[in-house]
Amino acid sequence: MSFFDPISQGIHDFYYKKINDPIIIHSDGFDDDEVYPDYFFRTYGEMPVLEQKAMDLASGNVLDIGAAAGCHSIHLQNKGMNVTALEKAPLCCDIMKDRGIQNIECSDIHQYNGLFF
């Protein structure tokens, strides 16, 4: 699968080279947004309260769609949950594997046909 995007490249550069330059995200009809790659490596304690609440309420099997660097997958996996991290960027999938995420599907959500439930 050949895929490139600035977010996955930024995640890769932060993980392997500790480069934390901002990534500018352009969306039609919206103002540009800026995100720093270290954001994708935040811990539970660094997440906003609403995000923490979502982590607290998760149960059963979890499909982490667009997992990026896997911060949610890691937290839930460490809680003993069965988590599948779904991510289409191979650079991110390699990083998640290196970070110890057990179940990674390198696929676009529209092509993903894994049995989950």
Side-chain angles (χ1 to χ4, degrees):
M1 173 188 297
S2 178
F3 179 78
F4 172 81
D5 72 273
I7 294 175
S8 63
Q9 187 64 55
I11 289 169
H12 176 272
D13 289 348
F14 178 77
Y15 186 72
Y16 290 108
K17 302 174 187 175
K18 300 303 179 217
I19 298 171
N20 197 31
D21 293 338
I23 303 163
I24 308 301
I25 301 169
H26 303 281
S27 293
D28 291 340
F30 296 93
D31 292 335
D32 288 351
D33 201 6
E34 181 178 273
V35 64
Y36 286 84
D38 65 347
Y39 173 79
F40 297 97
F41 294 89
R42 64 198 180 281
T43 64
Y44 175 86
E46 297 168 324
M47 293 176 188
V49 173
L50 185 59
E51 201 170 345
Q52 290 177 350
K53 184 67 172 176
M55 297 290 102
D56 295 343
L57 293 174
S59 64
N61 296 329
V62 175
L63 180 61
D64 183 3
I65 300 171
C71 65
H72 299 121
S73 294
I74 288 172
H75 175 74
L76 295 173
Q77 180 178 286
N78 288 342
K79 286 178 53 175
M81 299 182 74
N82 180 31
V83 180
T84 299
L86 179 63
E87 175 57 55
K88 70 178 181 177
L91 286 176
C92 290
C93 293
D94 291 343
I95 290 166
M96 286 190 290
K97 182 178 180 184
D98 194 51
R99 295 182 78 201
I101 296 174
Q102 296 171 358
N103 301 315
I104 302 166
E105 290 288 332
C106 194
S107 177
D108 184 284
I109 185 65
H110 301 290
Q111 279 75 47
Y112 179 69
N113 58 6
L115 295 178
F116 186 69
F117 298 99

